[in-house]
Amino acid sequence: MAQLQQVVTSNGVKFNCYEHNIATVGDINQELPAYTEDIPIKAIVPLTVEYNGTSYKVAIVANNAFSGCNKIESLTFEDGIRMLGYNVVKNCKNLKYLSIPNCSLFENVVSGCTSLEELNLECTYFNNSSFDLSKSTRLKKVTLKNTLEIGNNALFGITALTEIQLPSTLTSIGPKAFAGSGLKELTIPNSVSRIAYGAFANCKSLTSLTLPFVGETKGKNQFLGYVFGADGYDVSNDYVPTELKSIKVTNQSIVSDHAFQECQNIETVKYTKPIERIGDYAFYNCKELGSITLTNSLDDIGYYAFRKCKSMTSISVPIDTDVDSHAFLTTRTTTIYGKAGSSAEVAANKCSQPFRAYVFNLQLKGSSKILKKGEKYTIKIEKASPGRLSAKYLAWKSSNTKIATVDSKGVVVAKKKGKCVITATAKDKNKKKDSYTILVK
């Protein structure tokens, strides 16, 4: 080590200044506290310190530098400091805010900080060897920057934790990383390629989860319960939090076999990429699932994919999608929309589900009619595909019900003088429509 030139105290922090314009916080040989009683409540450890007109760059924060300092409530280490030693921030009982830059970290850099509420951290690896947060039971918010991996049990059991911001550099989340935390919403960035077993185990307050894929990786343990500690997809409901209602998948286009099987409390599932395949048992017994958007990219729907999804009122199947004949075995209340004569219709009939063919063409007979007040008139369909459309296929609407009303069968009743437009719209996702003008005299 370079020769010591001077010990400088600035804002209650002791700096050892060496030749070559290098400084340390505290003495790296004696490992004694590096603060005085004059340290402010909100302390900042700067990247440079001045002595006799010379600037010294702070490179190292020595072991135990702020250990046991109960005066500080906020501590920030400026960017550029290269190393933090052992027990640098240990047993700082009143410390509420801590910010650490990207640097080399020894074990137990932070431990025993019982009042800590917010941690702002730039590090490559976030683990509980450098950061023992087991006693930081008041920790509410963690912000990570440039982190590649979150290690095992990193934030285990911190029930006060309700917010964590994860960087786009993150690639891996370790076992039980957030287990038992109080997180209510969580977004995992697309950069993540692995989420270990039980990473979110016992996160009972979690209501919304956004993640790049379902399971451990895109090709391994591809069922939601895995990241909550379930050993198999058939017991996912025992592990996925009952409060978890919303799932958003941002970087996957295939719903794998058993992906959401037995996730009985999930209400919404959204894939930001067009779904290409829905596997066998994918949503089996998702009792509260209300709907899912399917696009023309969907190639096939697997065996029992939507069985027992009793809250789904309808499923719209793309025209060219191949559907397993047992895909829709639910509660016979789900209406299946699809192309007439397609495998979707075969599957609906096989499972005794109501089926409605897509309306590809809709043309009303005529374009206008003059009526007297109180007179009734039925608007008829001149052309349609499929050929005969019952009231179940169409929704009728008047632009002004004070002038004329229309019922579900296209029967118009004139109310008072004026003009309005009656529109018939197919109830399926294509929403083909045609309109008719009514003039009341």
Side-chain angles (χ1 to χ4, degrees), residues 11-13 15 25 34-35 39-46 61-62 64-78 81 84 87-90 92 94-101 109-110 113 116-121:
N11 291 324
V13 179
F15 298 89
V25 176
Y35 59 89
I39 192 170
I41 292 176
K42 294 184 178 181
I44 297 176
V45 178
V61 180
N64 299 300
F66 297 94
S67 180
C69 184
N70 294 328
K71 184 177 180 180
I72 52 174
E73 296 181 4
S74 173
L75 179 60
T76 299
F77 296 91
E78 288 191 348
I81 296 174
L84 300 187
N87 301 324
V88 166
V89 187
K90 180 180 180 181
C92 296
N94 295 312
L95 183 66
K96 296 179 181 179
Y97 174 84
L98 176 63
S99 181
I100 296 177
V109 171
V110 180
C113 297
L116 190 63
E117 295 180 357
E118 183 174 350
L119 176 62
N120 193 328
L121 177 63

Side-chain angles (χ1 to χ4, degrees), residues 74-135:
S74 173
L75 179 60
T76 299
F77 296 91
E78 288 191 348
D79 290 343
I81 296 174
R82 298 202 304 264
M83 183 181 298
L84 300 187
Y86 297 104
N87 301 324
V88 166
V89 187
K90 180 180 180 181
N91 296 333
C92 296
K93 302 298 184 181
N94 295 312
L95 183 66
K96 296 179 181 179
Y97 174 84
L98 176 63
S99 181
I100 296 177
N102 190 16
C103 59
S104 298
L105 303 170
F106 283 80
E107 293 184 359
N108 293 324
V109 171
V110 180
S111 64
C113 297
T114 55
S115 296
L116 190 63
E117 295 180 357
E118 183 174 350
L119 176 62
N120 193 328
L121 177 63
E122 184 175 359
C123 65
T124 303
Y125 304 101
F126 178 46
N127 54 60
N128 61 4
S129 62
S130 294
F131 303 93
D132 179 6
L133 300 172
S134 59
K135 294 183 179 180

Side-chain angles (χ1 to χ4, degrees), residues 390-432:
S390 66
K392 295 179 180 180
Y393 283 83
L394 299 177
W396 294 85
K397 185 178 181 180
S398 171
S399 64
N400 192 331
T401 56
K402 292 181 179 179
I403 294 172
T405 60
V406 63
D407 67 12
S408 61
K409 296 182 180 181
V411 179
V412 178
V413 179
K415 295 292 187 179
K416 72 172 187 177
K417 290 182 178 181
K419 184 170 71 172
C420 68
V421 176
I422 305 297
T423 303
T425 305
K427 293 180 180 180
D428 61 64
K429 68 173 185 177
N430 295 327
K431 297 190 180 299
K432 292 290 184 180

